[in-house]
Amino acid sequence: MDKKTVEQDLLDIFSRKEEVKIDEDLSTYTFTHTGGKADLFVTPSTYEEVGQLIAYAYKKEMPVTYLGRGSNLIVRDGGIRGLVIHCGRMNQITSAGESIIAQSGASIIDVSRFALAHERTGLEFACGIPGSVGGALYMNAGAYGGETADVLRQAVVVDAKGKILTLCGDELDMGYRHSAISKKGYLALEGTFHLKKGDPKKIKAEMDRLTALRELKQPLEYPSCGSVFKRPPGYFAGKLIQDSGLQGTRIGGVEVSKKHAGFMVNVDHGTASDYIRLIKHVQQTVKKKFGVDLETEVKIIGEKLQE
């Protein structure tokens, strides 16, 4: 792939040159502060631009990767080949009757705050989730007993050929940490959340309570990829890791959090390779001690660093 040729083709789609970058460092776009470079990095502003980008990539048989806020993500140190689409510019949040419509690049925390300002209840659980709306739709993000599926009415997505679709109800196929969006490889563009009228004082009190819990239990003082493992049936991942004596275990600059064993934190210039090696070590140790397979919740993408 000739990056300069592709760059010029992409500039024909965009009106702003700054939206197309070559060899962009992805470590600045992930919560772990790790990751290699993207061959081509684009930040579209409209759904039409996204559709054109994906249609172009499909025609050229070019791999495409979608990147949100990078909160539950590890990008390998070798970076990402092909085209990386970052939706951060598409971040509008609006209200329509009992619904709130949020673009995929908006922070789900900001959507929960918008709901509070409009006296709508149902998104309190999301007040501490650091990801984007797109990420929340992709993995059916949840916390403290609530999840995206509880309030999501419909989603606007784009498929692998650049066609824009609207998914509703059962078409969304929302389950524990998965959705039709992730299963079919769609890119989420927008979510419509149906929320009930609520007492703003009670809504704020619940958000304050959940925020305090998060600050008390989670290692927010360090870069991390959030909750590393899914909850195994009948167990809690953090408890299994803690009971395996793994808290404080470090590989390179990455450590199993001493504050919450379900998190891994970048304490000293860690790399994506450090994260991946530590994840494998934890999985092997828990399997040996308890016979339980820990499945990653964090998404790991990109290429290994070439020696």
Side-chain angles (χ1 to χ4, degrees):
M1 179 181 68
D2 185 332
K3 296 179 187 177
K4 283 294 183 181
T5 300
V6 176
E7 178 189 32
Q8 190 55 55
D9 288 345
L10 296 179
L11 288 173
D12 291 338
I13 296 174
F14 292 101
S15 59
R16 294 166 296 279
K17 183 176 176 61
E18 66 271 14
E19 290 185 327
V20 181
K21 299 177 182 179
I22 292 179
D23 294 329
E24 181 74 353
D25 185 355
L26 295 174
S27 66
T28 59
Y29 299 93
T30 65
F31 274 47
T32 61
H33 298 176
T34 65
K37 295 181 178 181
D39 284 347
L40 290 139
F41 184 88
V42 291
T43 52
S45 301
T46 69
Y47 299 171
E48 291 73 22
E49 287 177 344
V50 174
Q52 286 180 277
L53 277 171
I54 295 176
Y56 170 83
Y58 181 81
K59 182 179 179 181
K60 297 291 185 180
E61 297 183 343
M62 184 188 306
V64 180
T65 302
Y66 309 131
L67 187 63
R69 287 172 58 81
S71 61
N72 200 215
L73 178 72
I74 295 171
V75 177
R76 292 187 178 94
D77 298 315
I80 299 177
R81 304 289 72 80
L83 183 66
V84 174
I85 299 177
H86 185 264
C87 296
R89 290 181 185 269
M90 299 189 300
N91 56 14
Q92 292 185 350
I93 307 170
T94 57
S95 62
E98 293 184 336
S99 297
I100 289 176
I101 302 169
Q103 293 185 321
S104 61
S107 161
I108 193 68
I109 291 176
D110 287 344
V111 180
S112 72
R113 292 170 179 166
F114 186 93
L116 168 61
H118 286 75
E119 300 183 3
R120 298 293 169 185
T121 183
L123 268 174
E124 290 88 335
F125 73 90
C127 69
I129 297 176
S132 65
V133 168
L137 271 55
Y138 181 91
M139 67 176 297
N140 188 20
Y144 299 111
E147 59 182 12
T148 305
D150 297 337
V151 290
L152 183 65
R153 170 177 281 180
Q154 71 176 36
V156 178
V157 303
V158 57
D159 70 11
K161 295 182 180 180
K163 184 179 180 180
I164 296 175
L165 309 168
T166 299
L167 305 180
C168 303
D170 292 342
E171 294 176 312
L172 292 163
D173 189 23
M174 307 290 274
Y176 177 61
R177 299 301 178 262
H178 84 269
S179 69
I181 298 169
S182 58
K183 184 177 181 180
K184 297 185 178 182
Y186 295 151
L187 169 62
L189 297 175
E190 169 188 297
T192 299
F193 302 92
H194 184 68
L195 306 173
K196 296 178 180 179
K197 182 76 172 178
D199 182 339
K201 291 182 179 178
K202 291 181 179 179
I203 296 169
K204 186 176 185 306
E206 178 64 3
M207 290 172 68
D208 289 345
R209 183 184 75 84
L210 295 180
T211 297
L213 276 176
R214 181 170 178 265
E215 291 174 348
L216 178 67
K217 295 184 177 181
Q218 296 184 17
L220 305 180
E221 64 272 25
Y222 291 109
S224 84
C225 57
S227 180
V228 178
F229 301 104
K230 294 180 180 179
R231 184 179 66 245
Y235 298 91
F236 292 98
K239 184 70 163 56
L240 290 171
I241 296 166
Q242 180 180 331
D243 291 347
S244 296
L246 289 166
Q247 280 186 283
T249 299
R250 183 185 299 193
I251 291 180
V254 179
E255 178 180 282
V256 177
S257 171
K258 299 183 183 76
K259 192 172 185 180
H260 190 311
F263 288 73
M264 294 179 183
V265 290
N266 189 345
V267 295
D268 187 16
H269 303 93
T271 65
S273 297
D274 294 339
Y275 267 100
I276 293 166
R277 288 165 58 209
L278 186 56
I279 287 170
K280 290 181 179 178
H281 175 67
V282 168
Q283 287 173 320
Q284 290 167 356
T285 303
V286 169
K287 176 67 173 178
K288 183 177 180 180
K289 187 171 180 65
F290 295 104
V292 177
D293 292 307
L294 290 181
E295 182 182 352
T296 52
E297 178 174 313
V298 61
K299 187 179 180 185
I300 302 173
I301 62 174
E303 306 293 324
K304 293 181 180 179
L305 190 64
Q306 296 298 316
E307 298 295 337

